[in-house]
């Protein structure tokens, strides 16, 4: 059983319902220590478990992690292979979350992943389907543009089957056909490592998200840093186009 987590968020803070995290900076973390990039990915993967537990202790309902983008296939094969191996290993460990009443979901195009990985993903999703203390969403081979494309394809199929007409195409319908179907829009997107861009993460879902950037590299990002992001979020005035 994991140690209980002691959080220190000041009283009265609103905790965002859905936080998206771009787990960036693993490579630089390793380079700074003269180690191969894959060691950075290993440390980053460990940290994802720690931060998930912390987020749950804070009362966050959905956390979506950007683990591998549709563009990350451009990296050298040995790095991609090392990342895929880590996913397999962590999918076994992610099962521990099931015991903590956490639902696990995956978003992204699975067809390019290995069969073993796809099978493990499906089984974790099925086994955690009814858990509701928090939903952990892992974006693997995910791209926001690909997500929208995937939604449009689903909708075209509905139209070709005569189930919908042009008038039925609404923002809600597009949303229901994204990989994030039933997951509320992102409230806060956190990107460590100093980069200030979305890199094709939840582009539709973050239309009104608040963004928080920090120079800390992902493997060094701690529960306290998550709290700092939430404190900054509480200082934002979300107007949604109003006044
Ligand atoms: C993020 O860390 C992990 C993945 C994209 C899989 P990076 O590997 O991008 O680390 P940096 O940005 O090179 O430091
Ligand atoms: C975004 O990081 C993808 C993930 C963290 C999985 P990248 O390191 O791939 O993004 P860029 O290339 O700096 O935009
Ligand atoms: Mg990077």
């Amino acid at each position: 059983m994991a140690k209980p987590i002691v959080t220190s968020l000041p009283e009265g803070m609103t905790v965002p319902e859905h936080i998206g995290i771009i787990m960036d900076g693993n490579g630089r973390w390793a380079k700074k220590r003269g180690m191969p990039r894959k060691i950075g990915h290993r440390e980053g993967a460990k940290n994802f478990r720690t931060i998930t537990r912390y987020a749950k202790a804070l009362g966050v309902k959905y956390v979506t992690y950007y683990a591998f983008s549709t563009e990350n296939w451009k990296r050298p094969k040995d790095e991609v292979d090392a990342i895929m191996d880590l996913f397999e290993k962590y999918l076994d460990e992610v099962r521990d979350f099931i015991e903590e009443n956490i639902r696990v979901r995956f978003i992204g195009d699975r067809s390019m992943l290995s069969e073993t990985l796809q099978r493990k993903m499906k089984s974790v999703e099925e086994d955690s389907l009814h858990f509701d203390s928090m939903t952990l969403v892992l974006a693997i081979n995910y791209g926001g543009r690909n997500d929208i494309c995937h939604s449009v394809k689903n909708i075209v199929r509905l139209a070709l089957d005569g189930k919908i007409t042009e008038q039925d195409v609404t923002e809600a319908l597009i949303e229901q056909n994204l990989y994030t179907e039933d997951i509320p829009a992102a409230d806060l997107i956190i990107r460590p490592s100093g980069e200030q861009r979305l890199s094709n993460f939840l582009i539709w879902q973050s239309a009104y998200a608040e963004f928080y950037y920090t120079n800390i590299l992902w493997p060094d990002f701690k529960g306290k840093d998550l709290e700092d992001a939430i404190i900054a979020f509480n200082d934002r005035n979300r107007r949604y186009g109003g006044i």
Side-chain angles (χ1 to χ4, degrees), residues 134-152:
M134 181 172 92
T135 299
L136 159 65
V137 186
L138 277 162
I140 300 183
N141 193 25
Y142 179 86
R145 290 176 177 172
N146 174 266
D147 196 357
I148 293 168
C149 197
H150 154 87
S151 171
V152 171

Side-chain angles (χ1 to χ4, degrees), residues 23-29 37 41 67-68 72 75 79 83:
M23 301 191 283
D24 198 17
N26 295 346
R28 278 165 282 175
W29 185 93
R37 292 177 58 87
H41 295 309
F68 193 85
N72 287 146
R75 297 186 178 203
E79 179 168 343
I83 294 171

Side-chain angles (χ1 to χ4, degrees), residues 203-227:
I203 52 183
W204 174 288
Q205 300 85 341
S206 66
Y208 267 102
E210 298 296 329
F211 289 87
Y212 180 82
Y213 302 104
T214 165
N215 288 330
I216 298 165
L217 302 173
W218 169 249
D220 291 330
F221 187 93
K222 300 281 176 290
K224 176 76 185 62
D225 302 309
L226 180 63
E227 288 178 346

Side-chain angles (χ1 to χ4, degrees), residues 78-91:
D78 64 336
E79 179 168 343
V80 171
D81 288 348
I83 294 171
M84 294 296 154
D85 285 350
L86 273 172
F87 288 152
E88 282 205 19
K89 177 170 174 277
Y90 272 85
L91 271 187

